[in-house]
Amino acid sequence: MRASALVVQSDPDKSLGAIADELIRAGVRLDVRSPDRDLPAVHGYAGLIVLPGLADPVDDDAAVHRAREAIHHALRAELPVLGLCLGAQLLVQALGGSVFRCPPELGFGDVFASPAAPADPLLGGLPEQFSVFHAHAFAFEPPAQAQILLTNDVCVQACRHGDSWAFQCHPEISRGWVAGLAAGLRGEDGGLRAATTDFFRRNGVSPEQLEREARLADPTLRQIARGIANGFAARLA
């Protein structure tokens, strides 16, 4: 029987992207659900993945509360958990860390691997420095017991606590998604929600720069997405 993971997708235009493709290749069944409704019990799955969203981790919002509750249940059940951006912030809160408003990071920017990263099951073999997509105005402070894996001059970009991984940056983003965002910024239909495009437009993000940097970063990010997926799939098994 294939291992299955519950995937909590807060916004319809923010999927697991490149990591989903690699998880499916690794034989993992993904059950994608919206927290706009009650979520299934996590004990029916081998692990939990919580995706990004336009909401903030401090929002008093039913969907945010449902996603956070699923994380608490998964941690109590000792299931592997992967959190991305909003999902990472909620995961760190559940682990006893904190979140804070930070200078917005939008578009591609470099992150740096910590000394713990080469031995990590998900990030082993990654470069010491690489460019990755960012889209956040909140960040997290991991609990003291967590291993910091990626950083930059704004905040911690990834950490691990047991079989839980939190990524503030977006290793799941594909060139196709960036192309859709760039199209939206040009006033075309890129397939993304208007609220998503407006978030970047308000902050003066250039579509040409996005596409150029996505093209340059793509080979490394494909490798990283594959490593995250294969490492997490092994934990699910």
Side-chain angles (χ1 to χ4, degrees), residues 3-230:
S4 63
L6 173 61
V7 181
V8 179
Q9 183 171 343
S10 294
D11 294 349
D13 61 350
K14 299 174 186 66
S15 72
L16 189 53
I19 295 176
D21 296 340
E22 296 296 340
L23 281 170
I24 292 168
R25 288 191 185 97
V28 177
R29 185 179 69 85
L30 302 176
D31 186 7
V32 181
R33 303 292 186 102
S34 168
D36 289 341
R37 299 182 178 184
D38 289 340
L39 296 167
V42 297
H43 65 253
Y45 300 88
L48 173 68
I49 301 171
V50 184
L51 300 183
L54 286 178
D56 292 325
V58 297
D59 288 351
D60 186 10
D61 177 83
V64 172
H65 293 318
R66 290 187 189 103
R68 185 185 288 112
E69 183 179 15
I71 291 171
H72 279 292
H73 286 313
L75 293 176
R76 284 196 288 270
E78 298 183 344
L79 298 178
V81 182
L82 175 63
L84 300 169
C85 198
L86 174 62
Q89 295 158 3
L90 298 177
L91 173 57
V92 167
Q93 286 179 318
L95 289 168
S98 60
V99 298
F100 59 94
R101 190 173 291 278
C102 69
E105 287 191 277
L106 297 166
F108 285 85
D110 282 359
V111 298
F112 303 87
S114 75
D120 184 74
L122 272 59
L123 292 179
L126 84 171
E128 293 182 1
Q129 176 180 350
F130 61 93
S131 179
V132 64
F133 190 76
H134 303 266
H136 66 103
F138 270 80
F140 60 74
E141 181 63 35
Q145 306 91 333
Q147 284 186 319
I148 294 174
L149 300 173
L150 300 175
T151 62
N152 68 1
D153 57 359
V154 174
C155 62
V156 173
Q157 293 289 337
C159 71
R160 176 191 181 190
H161 187 288
D163 266 357
S164 296
W165 284 265
F167 286 84
Q168 184 58 69
C169 56
H170 290 266
E172 82 283 5
I173 290 295
S174 67
R175 281 186 68 184
W177 192 92
V178 173
L181 174 58
L185 290 172
R186 295 188 181 103
E188 305 163 5
D189 182 7
L192 303 185
R193 299 170 63 200
T196 299
T197 303
D198 289 344
F199 179 64
F200 291 87
R201 182 182 290 114
R202 290 195 307 269
N203 288 276
V205 174
S206 160
E208 291 77 21
Q209 183 175 353
L210 277 178
E211 290 174 323
R212 180 172 62 253
E213 293 180 343
R215 183 177 63 255
L216 293 173
D218 186 61
T220 298
L221 293 181
R222 285 177 180 271
Q223 173 192 348
I224 291 168
R226 187 177 306 115
I228 291 171
N230 288 337

